[in-house]
Amino acid sequence: MTRPPLPKRTPQKKSEAESFAIVNYKLGDLGIFRGQTENDYGIDVDLEVEIKGDVTGRSVKIQVKSSVDLKLRKDGTPAIGGIKQSTLNYWCQIAMRTNVIAYAVDLATEKIYVTSDL
């Protein structure tokens, strides 16, 4: 008897899940991470900042990018391509009201690179 076809887990979804797990594990002490992957238009995580155990009400919007083979420029900055102009415009609109940063996660080394405020 043949098995009916089942959905496949795409490499992109697997990388996304791995990168979120790395960010939560390594940076979890920064505060409360709330995933925003449902209806995602360029922001993956909302981080509510915690200071000495106090939840502050301050938040940062975060976009997480990942790669198994993250390339670094000569200055040590990760090279992330494929970001649409519309996404950059979206970040700019959000940045008028709150901080927006990006994390680049090297899945091979689990190293996280953080941008300054976008």
Side-chain angles (χ1 to χ4, degrees):
M1 177 175 214
T2 348
R3 186 173 64 131
L6 298 171
K8 299 273 187 227
R9 185 176 189 196
T10 65
Q12 179 182 354
K13 289 292 184 189
K14 186 173 187 288
S15 293
E16 182 179 278
E18 287 177 23
S19 63
F20 290 167
I22 292 167
V23 166
N24 280 321
Y25 174 72
K26 292 197 168 202
L27 303 178
D29 289 343
L30 294 176
I32 302 165
F33 285 85
R34 295 183 181 96
Q36 303 292 313
T37 55
E38 186 175 321
N39 295 318
D40 174 15
Y41 292 97
I43 298 296
D44 292 320
V45 176
D46 184 52
L47 167 62
E48 185 170 348
V49 179
E50 177 186 324
I51 299 175
K52 296 181 182 178
D54 293 332
V55 179
T56 64
R58 296 182 207 149
S59 67
V60 177
K61 304 289 186 183
I62 300 169
Q63 173 65 42
V64 179
K65 294 291 186 183
S66 64
S67 176
V68 174
D69 186 27
L70 193 64
K71 303 287 186 222
L72 300 179
R73 297 183 181 128
K74 290 180 182 178
D75 66 356
T77 304
I80 302 290
I83 300 172
K84 298 176 195 171
Q85 185 62 47
S86 60
T87 300
L88 294 172
N89 294 340
Y90 181 67
W91 291 343
C92 289
Q93 290 296 313
I94 294 171
M96 289 185 209
R97 294 175 298 286
T98 189
N99 295 318
V100 179
I101 60 175
Y103 290 164
V105 179
D106 186 327
L107 296 174
T109 65
E110 297 187 356
K111 186 167 184 178
I112 302 170
Y113 299 85
V114 182
T115 66
S116 57
D117 190 19
L118 300 174

